[in-house]
Amino acid sequence: STKGTYGTIKLDLTDESAGKKLVEICEIENVYAVVSAVGSIFSECDYEINSASGRVARAAFESTNRSKNSAIPKFIFIGNSDRVRNVCKAIPQLKKYAKGKEESERLV
């Protein structure tokens, strides 16, 4: 989470170095798997946050491909179904959310 609350590790996905930081955190904390269900709704930067999750997932994937002893052995990315995405696109307040999630899924 951005703030590191409720037992999560602090990580701002909109930071340019978030992918690198995720890999470092996983190495230090001996993380076995990362589950990304990132989603921001009704914030000032829904698109930026939701699309950033794809960039971070891609960085994690690329680190796995570079090393057999990857810092992130498993990365689970949870996206939206087409049905949910279409409903979100039809609601003006959710368009940036849907566009950001779509961008993340494209990157993954």
Side-chain angles (χ1 to χ4, degrees):
S1 73
T2 305
K3 296 178 182 166
T5 55
Y6 303 109
T8 62
I9 296 171
K10 183 178 180 178
L11 180 65
D12 180 357
L13 297 181
T14 61
D15 183 319
E16 286 293 319
S17 62
K20 182 180 177 191
K21 288 179 182 178
L22 175 64
V23 172
E24 290 170 357
I25 289 167
C26 290
E27 289 172 347
I28 293 167
E29 299 290 333
N30 294 318
V31 171
Y32 176 73
V34 172
V35 177
S36 175
V38 173
S40 171
I41 298 176
F42 301 129
S43 76
E44 293 180 17
C45 51
D46 284 349
Y47 173 78
E48 290 81 2
I49 292 170
N50 292 315
S51 63
S53 64
R55 288 191 303 277
V56 172
R58 177 168 269 193
F61 177 76
E62 288 171 354
S63 77
T64 300
N65 285 341
R66 284 192 297 267
S67 170
K68 290 183 181 180
N69 298 321
S70 171
I72 308 172
K74 294 184 188 280
F75 194 100
I76 301 161
F77 183 87
I78 300 172
N80 286 338
S81 70
D82 289 338
R83 189 173 182 185
V84 169
R85 189 178 300 116
N86 290 336
V87 168
C88 290
K89 286 180 180 178
I91 301 170
Q93 298 90 335
L94 295 177
K95 284 184 179 182
K96 288 183 181 179
Y97 165 83
K99 186 176 178 184
K101 291 298 268 186
E102 200 168 56
E103 176 67 8
S104 277
E105 292 165 14
R106 184 187 67 76
L107 291 169
V108 177

